[in-house]
Amino acid sequence: MATRRLTDAFLLMRNNAIQNRQILAEQVSTLDPRRTLNTRSNAALADDRMALVSGISLDPEAAIGVTKRLPPKWVEGVDEIQYEITRIRQKMKELASLHDKHMNRPTLDDSSEEEHAIEITTQEITQMFHRCQRAVTGLQTQSRHCTEQENRLLTNVVSSLAQSLQELSINFRHTQSSYLKRMKNREERSKHFFDSGPLVEEDEDIALYDRGFTDHQLVLVQQNTVVVEEREREIRQIVQSISDLNEIFRDLAGMVVEQGTVLDRIDFNVEQACVKTDEGLQQLQKAEQYQKKNRKMLVILILFVIVVVLILVLFGTKFR
Amino acid sequence: MNVTLAVKQYISKMIESSGPGMKVLLMDKETTSIVSVVYTQSEILQKEVYLFERIDSQNRDNMKHLKAICFLRPTKENVEHLIQELRRPKYSVYFIYFSNVISKSEIKALAEADEQEVVAEVQEFYGDFIAVNPHLFSLNLQGAHCEFFLLLALKKCPMIRYQLSSDMSKRLAESVKQIITKEYELFDFRKTEVPPLLLILDRSDDAITPLLNQWTYQAMVHELLGLNNNRIDLSRVPGISKDLREVVLSAENDEFYANNLYLNFGEIGTNIKNLMEDFQKKKPKDKQKLESISDMKAFVDNYPQFKKMSGTVSKHVTVVGELSRLVSERQLMEVSEVEQELACQNDHSSAQQNVRRLLQNPRLSETDAVRLVMLYALRYEKHSSSILPSLMEELSRKGVSERHRKMVQSVVEYGGKRVRGSELIAPTDAVAITKQFFKGLKGVENVYTQHQPLLHDTLDQLIKGRLKDSQFPYLGPSSLRDRPQDIIVFIIGGATYEEALTVYNLNRTMPGVRIVLGGTAIHNTKRSPLCLIQEGSRLQSDISPRMAFM
């Protein structure tokens, strides 16, 4: 990829131009007849002034441009949301590692701390998603206070944020559902293993075999029920969080532009913007014309009234 | 060599080197197309570029919390606009990238205008072409300037061969050489074993290819509907829904399109049918109530895929439907058969009969009629019993406008035997005649696609190292000893999608060779008669001295 950097040449020329301007300004100020007093001190003053202000610009608008305007308030909101998004990503990585650890440990230990940790992380992530979603909707309502161009900027920002959030929520949901599936599989397998005992009682041999295990089995069943209930609880929580995410997803989907359509083309949007500015200009011109017409009508009306009044006065004096 | 990738890399570099923060992209009319063809808006939005403006749009708001990335062509108007912008800057920092070489005096003017010192970078990023496909680029020019900086973008310093019969190609080759020597430090790339080759051709050598009807997807769409920077305007289609008034066909983002770009019409029909069936399977049946959580979950999980697929399916179904409608309305199958016969076979009497028969058909559209006569004129212009005058009478009887009838004459002037360098039609040497004889014996697979553009033979010979020096001389003393590996072909006067298909097939079948094709524009029949002739005369008189960093 070949490129050529002209920045150095540009900066050099710019510095030259600035110096030339300063020298010119100095000469102008020293040639000024009003400054008859100590010309050297004045020159020094002019120098200082020039050093502070970048060149004499007779253009007042440019001077205004020098002072930096504060960005609109919603920009901070954008930064916050982006920060939240990075935090969500981190949390999701944590959650994935927790899931894996939990899956690979033997199931009979009562390791409720891990499950607890998973629960908490999941809840945190869901909350963060909710917060982000509310913030993004909040951003969108700010569009009323903006000019038309800022509005476009805001819409683009909102749609890009909504898209990242949507992708993240899809990832989150996939991790959740795969975890859920694995849990279910394990539960089914363990259930199958432990349930198969009491069901098979027909054959004598098997009954004999079975009787031998009955006491042992009861203990196992008791332990198992506890474990199974815990699993059920976990699964229900996961399902709940998935359905929460559904709502978020639906809201976000409305804000995202479909990919692959003409709305996703830069040149199309630029053309629309041009069209809108043109239309805006046309509207302004129309309004101007109406105003003008208005004034003309007013003048005509006043003159008409004056004429009528004068005629009346005329008739009045005639008949007197 | 992938021209799409080259442009994408330039643009990502531009955006990344300006650091984090909200950015606005300032472009002019041409660079907007250049960027839109390789990047979708949602991709660029992810890179924190949130606003897209034209440098020449008035009444832009002041937004000092944005950084501006300017990607412009270094024309006088753009420099003027930029000067005005820098005098009253609307954004906090400016990173300026020109798509072509800019002169020192213009940089000086910009430097003097930059009173507020808002410019941080000024660079030249040579992405001054529209990357239509990975191996096809276009300059989208309607005029004289042939500025192409593809060589720099692809990092190649080539040997140059040009077409002897064409003055323009010689001049272009010389200007390219001049600029390469002048800017030698830019061209100081790693020398490969076999240096790449730039081949400059002239459209007038093969005026037949743009006049033929095409049957592969991309070419057909361009021919019948018009592909403009990968956008199609469907607003005139009867019964079109509001969403589909304008669609985008881009191989980057559309998998079905990428797979079917070069397949012919019949195969496309089958693939669309399969696509529809896939789609029906994924669609949730109305009877199926989403009751259980797993159902809901599955549906929402698949919803984005589903939505995207439904958009793609409806788009392609509409496009293909419209294409079929046009084919049957204009009886393009018959017309194309005769066209192909005119272009490939050598049988004057049957050609004569067929053309006459078709001209007498009242349903034949004006464009098709003129096209047929043009093809006949090009093919049999010097034939003893040419019936051209009577055909012209037929045309006027049909009510074809005077302007179109004149075009027949102009096209013969433009691409007739006098002007042509290569043997387009009647091969005279023994090998070629034998080849044609065998082809005649074998018969043709598909009568609608039997035509091979002249480019195919040229490239074939070039790859085998047999391209005649007498017809395509080298510029400069050195010449390529081995077979070329990287070839860049540029056709002055425009390329066609049929030639792009040829290049694609050659790229596929010959693995050691990489070919890229480009032209001043991409033609279809509506454009070629008018543009070729106007462009031809304009190009001859006015080739700009600022050229070719291709």
Side-chain angles (χ1 to χ4, degrees):
Chain A
M1 211 175 58
T3 62
R4 181 150 69 179
R5 211 162 166 266
L6 300 167
T7 316
D8 302 323
F10 180 83
L11 289 175
L12 192 64
M13 290 191 209
R14 186 167 73 187
N15 289 338
N16 283 344
I18 292 176
Q19 282 176 4
N20 288 344
R21 262 199 294 271
Q22 287 180 359
I23 296 175
L24 196 65
E26 226 182 86
Q27 289 178 347
V28 165
S29 65
T30 50
L31 288 175
D32 196 323
R34 272 184 284 151
R35 297 175 198 275
T36 49
L37 305 173
N38 203 338
T39 49
R40 225 192 300 160
S41 71
N42 272 337
L45 197 61
D47 243 358
D48 286 333
R49 214 184 304 141
M50 287 310 116
L52 286 176
V53 178
S54 47
I56 297 180
S57 49
L58 305 163
D59 195 354
E61 253 184 74
I64 296 175
V66 170
T67 57
K68 280 198 169 15
R69 279 223 216 108
L70 291 172
K73 293 204 196 83
W74 53 264
V75 174
E76 299 159 13
V78 171
D79 287 331
E80 279 175 19
I81 297 179
Q82 279 174 340
Y83 178 61
E84 279 285 308
I85 289 181
T86 27
R87 276 186 64 206
I88 290 181
R89 279 211 188 96
Q90 269 179 340
K91 281 276 169 189
M92 275 176 58
K93 274 195 213 129
E94 273 181 40
L95 185 65
S97 61
L98 276 179
H99 276 326
D100 287 330
K101 247 199 315 180
H102 188 58
M103 280 279 116
N104 296 335
R105 279 184 61 131
T107 55
L108 295 178
D109 294 20
D110 265 350
S111 50
S112 56
E113 304 133 12
E114 261 186 10
E115 290 157 17
H116 196 56
I118 291 184
E119 221 178 278
I120 292 187
T121 329
T122 319
Q123 272 181 16
E124 274 179 14
I125 296 184
T126 322
Q127 274 176 15
M128 284 200 277
F129 267 120
H130 274 291
R131 263 208 304 269
C132 279
Q133 185 230 352
R134 271 197 300 267
V136 171
T137 357
L139 266 189
Q140 227 180 10
T141 56
Q142 297 249 5
S143 60
R144 295 185 216 120
H145 312 294
C146 299
T147 64
E148 193 251 314
Q149 283 204 351
E150 273 200 16
N151 204 353
R152 253 187 307 135
L153 177 64
L154 185 57
T155 328
N156 283 343
V157 171
V158 162
S159 86
S160 117
L161 288 174
Q163 198 182 357
S164 346
L165 270 181
Q166 199 178 57
E167 279 171 25
L168 275 181
S169 67
I170 291 176
N171 279 347
F172 184 47
R173 199 182 329 197
H174 276 158
T175 10
Q176 290 285 69
S177 55
S178 59
Y179 179 60
L180 184 59
K181 238 186 278 178
R182 280 191 291 179
M183 293 286 281
K184 258 195 182 155
N185 283 343
R186 221 172 39 170
E187 189 189 307
E188 270 179 25
R189 266 183 283 134
S190 55
K191 243 191 186 156
H192 181 74
F193 180 64
F194 286 118
D195 279 346
S196 60
L199 290 175
V200 185
E201 276 178 341
E202 285 146 24
D203 226 0
E204 244 192 68
D205 295 331
I206 300 176
L208 253 167
Y209 192 69
D210 205 274
R211 245 183 283 127
F213 277 96
T214 310
D215 299 321
H216 191 188
Q217 195 191 322
L218 271 173
V219 171
L220 280 177
V221 165
Q222 268 179 353
Q223 278 184 346
N224 220 28
T225 329
V226 172
V227 174
V228 162
E229 274 172 21
E230 265 191 58
R231 292 276 178 273
E232 261 201 57
R233 220 180 345 116
E234 273 179 50
I235 290 172
R236 241 177 286 139
Q237 272 172 4
I238 292 174
V239 164
Q240 179 60 33
S241 71
I242 289 179
S243 56
D244 283 336
L245 278 179
N246 282 351
E247 298 169 10
I248 300 178
F249 179 81
R250 259 200 304 265
D251 290 324
L252 285 180
M255 297 187 217
V256 176
V257 166
E258 288 170 35
Q259 301 181 343
T261 63
V262 96
L263 293 169
D264 203 16
R265 288 272 298 207
I266 299 173
D267 48 5
F268 180 75
N269 284 308
V270 169
E271 285 162 21
Q272 294 296 81
C274 283
V275 163
K276 275 206 189 129
T277 346
D278 280 340
E279 277 177 12
L281 197 64
Q282 280 177 12
Q283 298 284 351
L284 278 173
Q285 286 173 341
K286 255 196 236 168
E288 203 189 336
Q289 277 190 1
Y290 284 149
Q291 279 283 56
K292 278 200 197 138
K293 269 199 218 156
N294 223 13
R295 233 175 283 144
K296 274 191 215 154
M297 285 308 290
L298 201 63
V299 167
I300 291 173
L301 202 63
I302 291 177
L303 282 175
F304 182 67
V305 167
I306 291 177
V307 163
V308 166
V309 163
L310 286 175
I311 291 177
L312 285 175
V313 164
L314 194 67
F315 280 145
T317 49
K318 247 207 166 168
F319 284 141
R320 284 242 184 95
Chain B
M1 288 190 286
N2 187 333
V3 296
T4 321
L5 201 60
V7 179
K8 266 186 131 157
Q9 278 176 346
Y10 271 137
I11 299 178
S12 358
K13 187 154 177 226
M14 260 185 241
I15 299 178
E16 278 149 30
S17 50
S18 54
M22 300 213 282
K23 304 182 258 278
V24 56
L25 189 56
L26 279 176
M27 305 171 278
D28 66 29
K29 189 160 182 296
E30 285 94 17
T31 50
T32 312
S33 313
I34 294 176
V35 174
S36 311
V37 166
V38 295
Y39 263 119
T40 61
Q41 182 160 299
S42 38
E43 282 171 349
I44 280 208
L45 283 179
Q46 294 296 330
K47 295 185 188 280
E48 287 195 293
V49 178
Y50 291 126
L51 195 56
F52 312 96
E53 298 281 358
R54 289 261 295 263
I55 190 90
D56 47 347
S57 68
Q58 314 295 331
N59 306 326
R60 272 180 282 125
D61 292 341
N62 268 8
M63 291 198 229
K64 295 286 186 182
H65 49 282
L66 296 177
K67 301 187 200 176
I69 302 179
C70 312
F71 180 40
L72 305 167
R73 296 193 70 234
T75 60
K76 258 211 303 257
E77 298 91 26
N78 283 346
V79 175
E80 279 296 318
H81 283 131
L82 204 52
I83 288 181
Q84 282 176 14
E85 175 81 18
L86 289 177
R87 289 228 174 90
R88 295 212 200 97
K90 300 199 170 71
Y91 308 108
S92 61
V93 193
Y94 284 78
F95 297 85
I96 305 180
Y97 299 94
F98 287 109
S99 63
N100 213 317
V101 169
I102 184 169
S103 66
K104 279 272 175 339
S105 56
E106 285 171 332
I107 300 186
K108 187 147 182 280
L110 284 175
E112 283 167 4
D114 187 16
E115 293 164 14
Q116 321 276 1
E117 299 191 28
V118 287
V119 174
E121 287 273 332
V122 177
Q123 295 203 25
E124 287 173 356
F125 271 19
Y126 303 106
D128 201 12
F129 52 90
I130 300 195
V132 180
N133 284 344
H135 61 276
L136 175 67
F137 69 92
S138 146
L139 301 178
N140 259 18
L141 297 173
Q142 301 283 341
H145 298 286
C146 295
E147 290 156 315
F148 40 97
F149 278 62
L150 186 62
L151 287 172
L152 273 181
L154 295 177
K155 288 176 94 164
K156 304 261 176 256
C157 179
M159 319 220 62
I160 307 178
R161 289 182 80 163
Y162 62 94
Q163 190 171 336
L164 189 60
S165 58
S166 158
D167 248 352
M168 270 194 282
S169 78
K170 180 160 186 207
R171 262 185 282 167
L172 187 57
E174 281 168 0
S175 325
V176 175
K177 192 82 192 176
Q178 251 180 22
I179 297 197
I180 292 183
T181 9
K182 196 169 87 162
E183 310 271 6
Y184 60 88
E185 76 258 6
L186 274 179
F187 277 95
D188 193 15
F189 301 125
R190 194 167 40 94
K191 295 258 181 295
T192 52
E193 276 177 27
V194 180
L197 184 68
L198 166 63
L199 180 61
I200 300 183
L201 301 173
D202 199 326
R203 177 85 265 154
S204 56
D205 212 43
D206 181 10
I208 286 195
T209 310
L211 293 174
L212 292 174
N213 237 322
Q214 299 303 321
W215 295 98
T216 56
Y217 201 18
Q218 191 182 33
M220 206 171 163
V221 168
H222 186 51
E223 174 72 38
L224 297 178
L225 296 172
L227 258 183
N228 186 8
N229 292 338
N230 291 346
R231 279 163 72 175
I232 311 176
D233 182 16
L234 289 177
S235 49
R236 276 184 234 115
V237 172
I240 191 83
S241 77
K242 203 156 141 293
D243 297 335
L244 290 172
R245 263 198 229 126
E246 198 173 349
V247 294
V248 173
L249 274 189
S250 158
E252 296 254 311
N253 304 318
D254 188 342
E255 210 188 306
F256 179 76
Y257 185 60
N259 294 337
N260 288 293
L261 210 51
Y262 298 113
L263 296 182
N264 68 47
F265 201 44
E267 289 161 3
I268 297 170
T270 326
N271 289 344
I272 282 233
K273 191 167 83 74
N274 293 339
L275 187 69
M276 284 288 288
E277 280 169 9
D278 276 339
F279 180 59
Q280 295 283 34
K281 265 188 257 161
K282 290 220 175 87
K283 206 171 171 176
K285 297 154 193 88
D286 307 63
K287 302 289 171 65
Q288 179 195 57
K289 274 188 264 174
L290 300 175
E291 280 177 340
S292 66
I293 298 221
S294 52
D295 278 352
M296 268 202 289
K297 194 164 49 84
F299 177 67
V300 178
D301 266 344
N302 295 327
Y303 186 65
Q305 303 290 76
F306 172 75
K307 198 150 186 237
K308 190 164 182 212
M309 208 180 167
S310 100
T312 316
V313 168
S314 55
K315 174 172 71 174
H316 285 289
V317 165
T318 317
V319 170
V320 174
E322 177 61 15
L323 288 177
S324 326
R325 188 185 72 89
L326 285 171
V327 164
S328 59
E329 188 180 295
R330 287 162 58 174
Q331 297 184 313
L332 286 178
M333 306 279 268
E334 281 187 49
V335 174
S336 180
E337 205 181 322
V338 176
E339 283 175 5
Q340 296 282 334
E341 194 189 331
L342 277 174
C344 308
Q345 315 284 7
N346 216 341
D347 185 356
H348 181 242
S349 51
S350 89
Q352 186 183 5
Q353 279 175 5
N354 286 331
V355 174
R356 245 198 237 282
R357 181 176 48 94
L358 270 183
L359 278 183
Q360 281 160 357
N361 188 341
R363 279 177 64 185
L364 192 69
S365 73
E366 199 172 301
T367 343
D368 294 328
V370 175
R371 213 166 40 177
L372 277 173
V373 178
M374 278 200 265
L375 278 170
Y376 180 83
L378 279 173
R379 183 86 179 71
Y380 295 113
E381 61 175 308
K382 294 277 172 26
H383 202 268
S384 45
S385 51
S386 156
I387 53 166
L388 192 56
S390 63
L391 287 180
M392 296 293 285
E393 272 181 40
E394 282 270 352
L395 275 185
S396 51
R397 230 182 307 147
K398 259 181 91 80
V400 172
S401 65
E402 175 69 28
R403 193 172 66 128
H404 285 153
R405 272 183 283 139
K406 275 215 192 102
M407 278 199 244
V408 179
Q409 185 57 27
S410 333
V411 95
V412 173
E413 274 174 27
Y414 179 73
K417 220 167 177 86
R418 257 183 320 119
V419 183
R420 279 204 301 266
S422 329
E423 287 310 321
L424 183 59
I425 313 248
T428 49
D429 63 332
V431 179
I433 293 184
T434 332
K435 264 200 231 161
Q436 241 200 10
F437 179 64
F438 277 120
K439 204 167 67 165
L441 278 184
K442 250 201 310 189
V444 196
E445 269 182 31
N446 186 341
V447 91
Y448 300 108
T449 56
Q450 49 180 306
H451 178 253
Q452 287 272 30
L454 184 64
L455 187 64
H456 177 88
D457 291 333
T458 317
L459 282 177
D460 201 35
Q461 288 176 351
L462 179 62
I463 294 173
K464 296 192 181 132
R466 280 192 267 138
L467 195 61
K468 296 202 194 98
D469 267 358
S470 53
Q471 283 178 350
F472 293 96
Y474 280 93
L475 191 67
S478 51
S479 68
L480 212 55
R481 257 164 286 127
D482 309 308
R483 300 203 188 148
Q485 285 177 347
D486 291 329
I487 308 176
I488 303 170
V489 184
F490 185 75
I491 305 186
I492 306 178
T496 59
Y497 280 116
E498 188 179 352
E499 287 158 347
L501 172 64
T502 314
V503 168
Y504 171 76
N505 284 332
L506 280 173
N507 271 336
R508 232 173 9 129
T509 52
M510 307 219 188
V513 179
R514 292 185 295 261
I515 313 176
V516 168
L517 172 66
T520 47
I522 311 259
H523 281 305
N524 63 7
T525 314
K526 289 199 196 70
R527 301 194 49 199
S528 57
L530 301 167
C531 287
L532 276 181
I533 296 152
Q534 291 170 0
E535 244 179 67
S537 45
R538 226 182 312 163
L539 278 172
Q540 260 160 7
S541 57
D542 174 24
I543 290 195
S544 147
R546 289 180 57 195
M547 278 245 254
F549 273 82
M550 213 183 75

